[in-house]
């Protein structure tokens, strides 16, 4: 069986270094807010291209803390609106509603699967305070049009960079995702391109005040021991995860390059009229390689029967989830098509060329 993602194989090249990093944490005997966390935050901020990185418990916390900090700063208040792609993973939206802000769902572009920047401006109202772009599947969602809309309407630009570690926005001055907006949330869930061995996340920003408030909010609301300026929460990256992430960060670009090689093979060699293949491999780090097929379930069954495991990202769109029952009547046809047809192929640095060619051959002979 070709697994969709074999984390043991993915992490094997770093095994010795990660064990050494773990030993270092154990020898120091300091497990939170220590040397490993400081080092990783510095290295990750430098890598992304921001002044600040604040480690936290997970990617959802990272996004939630950004909005909470903006509320503490008076930039946003309850009832304000945040524009967000309708086809995102639900965590993007949970971070908004947890802060009693209102998500405004905007359809994606069927060709890029990213938020359709031609539809954003018509969604802006006097209560709009931010646009959240989600670099879904590892592809850069930012466009100059989005940046221009934010500038003209004085909106914060928040990035959900949970799936796009290392992705570049290619322009006259290329920058990494996570440094394109006012703040960005990152997830280091084990299956991500930069994955921990448990839950972990971070916020990156160039805003000193925002960074200080987020760090306090994630530490019970405290910047000084036993002094609480905010009603915060406990959301901190631990020393073991920080140490292991720091090891893997040094290999991230090489791992992403391998993913791009595999994606290029899929793009150039899959020839099946019933399968829609992404056509861009320039601005993606391929956390997920998504294809569309009208008979997705049949295709998934065929691949499974022939020894290939796939995943679906995501079977039910946010506006059709019971937790957001108030959106039940919404019609979002592009989003619904994507969620009905999307299937994700194995695409990670531990795959062999033989395995990739096996998958390509199966896709080319399948008749779902």
């Amino acid at each position: 069986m070709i697994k969709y993602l074999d984390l043991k194989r993915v992490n094997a090249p770093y095994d010795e270094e990660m064990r050494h990093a773990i030993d270092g944490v154990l020898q120091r005997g300091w497990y939170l807010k220590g040397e490993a966390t400081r080092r990783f935050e510095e290295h990750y901020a430098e890598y992304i291209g921001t002044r600040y990185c604040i480690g936290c418990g997970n990617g959802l916390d990272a996004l939630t803390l950004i909005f909470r900090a903006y509320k503490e700063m008076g930039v946003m208040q309850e009832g304000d609106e945040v524009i967000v792609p309708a086809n995102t993973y639900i965590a993007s939206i949970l971070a908004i509603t947890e802060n009693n802000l209102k998500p405004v769902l905007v359809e994606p572009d069927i060709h890029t699967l990213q938020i359709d920047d031609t539809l954003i401006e018509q969604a802006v109202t006097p209560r709009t305070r931010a646009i959240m772009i989600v670099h879904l599947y590892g592809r850069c969602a930012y466009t100059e049009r989005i940046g221009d809309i934010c500038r003209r309407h004085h909106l914060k630009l928040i990035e959900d960079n949970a799936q796009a570690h290392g992705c570049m926005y290619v322009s006259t001055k290329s920058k990494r995702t996570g440094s394109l907006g006012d703040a960005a949330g990152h997830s280091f869930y084990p299956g991500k391109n930069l994955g921990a061995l448990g839950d972990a996340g971070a916020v990156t920003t160039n805003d000193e005040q925002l960074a200080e408030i987020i760090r306090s909010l994630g530490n019970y609301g405290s910047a000084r021991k036993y002094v609480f300026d905010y009603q915060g929460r406990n959301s901190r990256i631990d020393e073991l995860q920080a140490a292991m992430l720091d090891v893997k960060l040094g290999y991230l670009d090489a791992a992403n390059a391998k993913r791009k090689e595999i994606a290029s093979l899929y793009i150039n060699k899959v020839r099946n009229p019933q399968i829609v293949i992404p056509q861009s491999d320039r601005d993606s780090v391929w956390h997920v390689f998504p294809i569309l097929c009208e008979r997705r379930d049949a295709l998934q069954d065929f691949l499974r029967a022939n020894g290939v495991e796939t995943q679906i990202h995501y079977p039910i769109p946010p506006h059709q989830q019971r937790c957001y029952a108030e959106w039940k009547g919404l019609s979002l046809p592009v989003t619904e098509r994507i969620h009905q047809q999307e299937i994700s192929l194995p695409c990670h640095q531990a795959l062999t060329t033989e395995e990739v060619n096996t998958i390509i051959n199966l896709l080319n002979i399948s008749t779902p």
Side-chain angles (χ1 to χ4, degrees), residues 44-45 48 50 52-54 66 178-179 182-186 202-206:
Y44 194 63
I48 292 296
T50 56
Y52 306 103
C53 169
I54 308 97
I66 290 170
S179 69
D182 295 284
H186 307 253
V203 173
T204 54
T205 183
N206 288 317

Side-chain angles (χ1 to χ4, degrees), residues 5 13-14 23 40 43 49 52 55 75 80 128 130 146 154-155 214 229 237 253-254 257-258 264 290 316 343 351 361:
L5 180 61
Y14 327 123
D23 286 343
F40 172 67
H43 291 167
Y52 306 103
V75 174
D80 284 343
T128 307
I146 292 173
H154 307 290
L155 305 177
I214 287 172
D229 296 322
I237 193 171
D253 286 344
K258 179 63 176 176
S264 183
I316 305 172
I343 180 171
L351 284 173
N361 291 335

Side-chain angles (χ1 to χ4, degrees), residues 264-288:
S264 183
L265 290 173
Y266 286 144
I267 290 169
N268 292 304
K269 292 190 175 183
V270 173
R271 294 290 181 268
N272 187 325
Q274 297 184 62
I275 295 172
V276 178
I277 297 286
Q279 291 306 304
S280 172
D281 59 358
R282 181 182 65 116
D283 56 354
S284 179
V285 291
W286 301 107
H287 170 61
V288 168

Side-chain angles (χ1 to χ4, degrees), residues 317-334:
H319 72 282
Q320 294 179 343
Q321 298 285 355
R322 189 174 69 172
C323 64
Y324 291 115
E326 65 271 23
W327 291 338
K328 188 175 181 180
L330 284 180
S331 175
L332 297 166
V334 179

